[in-house]
Amino acid sequence: MQISSRFTIAIHIFCCIDTFKNEKITSEFLASSVQVNPVIIRKILGQLKKAGLVQVHRGSGGVEISKPLDKITFLDIYKAVECVESKGLFHFHENPNPTCPVGRNMHSILDERLEHVQQVMEDELASMTLADVKKDLDKILGNDRT
């Protein structure tokens, strides 16, 4: 299982918006940095807007971050762009065989463990902010402005 690239693209988008905040930021501009189709950028921006993390200005273009970077966690971004069902990160196969001793017991054996794994992951995501990433990016850009 793999978390989709929407998550890392969203972080990339935030870093571009903050780095180039004095310029007009369009989906085409962001797409050129990420090297994806602008349609993908617009979809992710729509998800981020719906989550209240960005403001998108139609027509003339432009995107702004709605909160300070230290107030936006990786978990906020993950929840905004990933399509994780409310039931959880792990999807159980639908019909284990109830007459098989293994099949009838898999849910009870795994459910609690998988919930724990998801909680640990979410706790880690909640401990990281965009400010952490931007700080590292600024260090690199300070040494390598192109």
Side-chain angles (χ1 to χ4, degrees):
M1 180 186 315
Q2 200 175 39
I3 293 173
S4 78
S5 62
R6 287 185 305 249
F7 178 70
T8 55
I9 290 172
I11 293 171
H12 187 137
I13 287 170
F14 278 109
C15 287
C16 276
I17 293 169
D18 190 71
T19 299
F20 301 106
K21 60 185 158 221
N22 296 325
E23 299 179 33
K24 181 176 159 184
I25 307 291
T26 65
S27 57
E28 287 77 14
F29 176 84
L30 294 168
S32 72
S33 179
V34 180
Q35 290 200 353
V36 296
N37 191 300
V39 172
I40 293 169
I41 299 297
R42 286 191 283 275
K43 178 177 169 99
I44 293 171
L45 284 173
Q47 292 172 310
L48 297 172
K49 179 181 176 183
K50 184 177 179 184
L53 301 176
V54 298
Q55 297 171 353
V56 179
H57 307 289
R58 300 258 185 236
S60 64
V63 183
E64 294 176 66
I65 301 171
S66 299
K67 302 177 181 180
L69 295 181
D70 64 344
K71 301 296 184 208
I72 300 175
T73 68
F74 279 25
L75 183 59
D76 296 328
I77 298 165
Y78 173 77
K79 286 183 174 182
V81 301
E82 287 301 325
C83 300
V84 176
E85 297 177 16
S86 60
K87 294 179 184 176
L89 179 63
F90 298 97
H91 180 73
F92 228 98
H93 50 288
E94 298 299 324
N95 299 306
N97 185 346
T99 62
C100 172
V102 175
R104 94 175 139 254
N105 290 297
M106 277 292 92
H107 269 291
S108 63
I109 293 168
L110 289 178
D111 284 348
E112 199 172 300
R113 287 177 171 92
L114 297 178
E115 286 173 18
H116 174 73
V117 168
Q118 181 168 344
Q119 188 59 54
V120 168
M121 182 191 83
E122 289 182 2
D123 290 347
E124 281 297 311
L125 290 172
S127 74
M128 299 174 204
T129 69
L130 284 174
D132 301 326
V133 174
K134 190 61 170 75
K135 180 178 148 195
D136 291 343
L137 179 61
D138 287 345
K139 264 194 248 178
I140 292 168
L141 293 179
N143 296 329
D144 184 33
R145 281 271 171 176
T146 55

